[in-house]
Every structure is written in C-alpha cells, then in structure tokens.
Amino acid sequence: MPTESIRPARLAPSRIVPTYTWIAPVHDGLARLVEARARRLGLGWAAVRDGETVVEVAVGTGLSFRHLLLANPHGWTEGIDLTPAMLRRAERRVARTGRTNYRLRLGNARALPYPDAYADLLVNSYMFDLLPVADFVPVLREFHRVLKPGGRLVMMNMTIGTRWIHHLWEGLYRLYPPLLGGCRGVAVAPYCEQAGFAPVRRAFVSQWSFPSEVIHAEKPT
Ligand SMILES: C[S@@+](CC[C@H](N)C(=O)[O-])C[C@H]1O[C@@H](n2cnc3c(N)ncnc32)[C@H](O)[C@@H]1O
C-alpha cells in the first residue's frame, strides 16, 4: 500500500475532544454498522489469555473494552481516552459487567500513563485514522515501550480500499471531515515495522463498503 495515498489529517488535534463530545451519543450506531466485522476479527486475533495485563488506548465508548475485560476475569484491564464524554459512556458500559479488575482514565496515546514493559497486549482501534502521518511512528514507539517483550499489538483502522465503492466513505471525509469523526483511510502496517514490531500481519475487511484494516504485530523478545 503506497503510504503517499494517505490523505492529510484535517481534524486538528485541538478539535478531537469537541468533535467526539458531540459524536459520543451517536458513535455506537455507526460503529456497529460499519466496524463490527473488523472489531470481531481484531478481538479474535487479540486472543486474550486470562490473567494478562491488557491495555486499550482510545477506548471510546468501551465497545472493545467490555469484551477485553470479560475475557480476562483473573487479569487486569486498563484503558484510556482523550475525550471525557466518550470515557463516561465506557464507564457506564463497563460498570454493568459487575467486574472490578479494571481501570479507565483520561489519557493521551502520545504519552501513555504506563511504565515500560507493562502490558502483554495493547489494543487500539479507529484512532490512527485521526492522527497526522508524522505521529504514526512516535505513537507506535510509545505502544512498543509499554508492551513486554513478546507482547502483542492489535489495531483496527479505517483504511484505503481498492474498489471504487470503498472510496465513497473517503468522499464524506473530503466533503466535511467531522462527518466521519475526522477519520480517513490509513495503512499503518509499514509504520509498525519502523517502530520495531515484527512480525506484522494485516487483513482487509469491508462492511457496507467501509474499508478497515486489522493488524497484529509483536514486540520481539
Ligand atoms: C473513532 S473513535 C474510536 C473509539 C474506539 N476505539 C472504538 O473503536 O469504538 C476515536 C477515539 O479516539 C480517541 N482519541 C483520539 N486521539 C486520541 C489520543 N491522542 N489519545 C487517546 N485517545 C484519542 C477519541 O477521543 C475517540 O474516543
């Protein structure tokens, strides 16, 4: 995938919190419609082993976090997000599970509030599609820092499709970026390698013509 075809990020970092504050009430409807298939594959690839330390970066409303927590009854599951309105929804969703072995808090992917070699698994979905390309490697290095040697990284992102129908969604972004929450198609696998992950595997998934990539990468031992 030629990385030059990634469009510039048009949602300024300072607009992310205000944008996701108004998107929060409608986020899950669209996410279920177009991201559910990729999320299912990604969570399958994540293959949580009970007892692990699991971190999700950009938990949003907790759609994946709930699954990660329920799969890890004897472990510890942590999550961060930049937007309080998204995080409040995640907290409500997760409270209904009755589990207590987790922590959710505000945080930024650019400076994770975790020590080096902390997590066995780090999950991140539909966040890189908001970031400027110049931030990809620094943020992936931050993920790499927080993972234990042998730790796994699983990501789902809006990607760049190969058929004309996949480009319809990118058209919405071109028209007015907040319509898609500022997300545009990205292809992150080559940057994972630059940040020190190997091996890196990628799958393409389309749902209602919305193109997603699912990535599994490992921090070498
Ligand atoms: C499209 S939503 C995806 C939410 C969730 N990961 C999911 O797949 O349902 C993007 C989320 O990324 C969060 N986000 C964006 N930039 C971030 C950053 N630098 N650090 C942490 N969270 C961020 C936003 O607040 C928002 O909740």
Side-chain angles (χ1 to χ4, degrees), residues 39 45-46 59 70 122 138 162 171 181 185-187 218:
R39 192 182 306 278
W45 278 11
V59 291
L70 292 175
L122 193 152
T162 46
V186 295
E218 287 172 37

Side-chain angles (χ1 to χ4, degrees), residues 43 46-57 59 62-80 87 90-91 94-95 97 99-105 113-114 118-124 146 152:
L43 292 173
V48 176
R49 300 166 202 150
D50 189 15
E52 290 189 316
T53 299
V54 176
V55 166
E56 187 183 359
V57 177
V59 291
L63 290 172
S64 299
F65 192 84
R66 179 178 181 279
H67 170 98
L68 297 169
L69 177 64
L70 292 175
N72 196 21
H74 300 98
W76 181 251
T77 307
E78 292 232 12
I80 62 148
L87 202 57
E91 276 159 357
V94 168
T97 66
R99 295 284 166 84
T100 54
N101 55 330
Y102 70 90
R103 181 174 181 186
L104 284 170
R105 58 178 140 159
Y114 308 114
Y118 176 69
D120 300 287
L121 168 68
L122 193 152
V123 174
N124 175 249
V146 160
R152 295 109 63 210

Side-chain angles (χ1 to χ4, degrees), residues 11 13 16-17 19-21 23 27-28 31 35 39 56-65 80-87 93 105-112 123-131 135 139 143 156 180-183:
L11 192 67
I16 289 179
V17 171
T19 302
Y20 277 90
T21 299
I23 284 180
H27 173 270
D28 292 0
E35 297 168 359
R39 192 182 306 278
E56 187 183 359
V57 177
V59 291
T61 62
L63 290 172
S64 299
F65 192 84
I80 62 148
D81 199 281
L82 204 55
T83 307
M86 296 290 274
L87 202 57
R93 167 168 279 126
R105 58 178 140 159
L106 284 175
N108 193 327
R110 292 178 171 87
L112 294 175
V123 174
N124 175 249
S125 56
Y126 300 102
M127 183 195 81
F128 273 83
D129 27 35
L130 292 170
L131 300 184
D135 287 355
V139 171
F143 291 1
M156 295 76 104
L180 271 190
C183 296

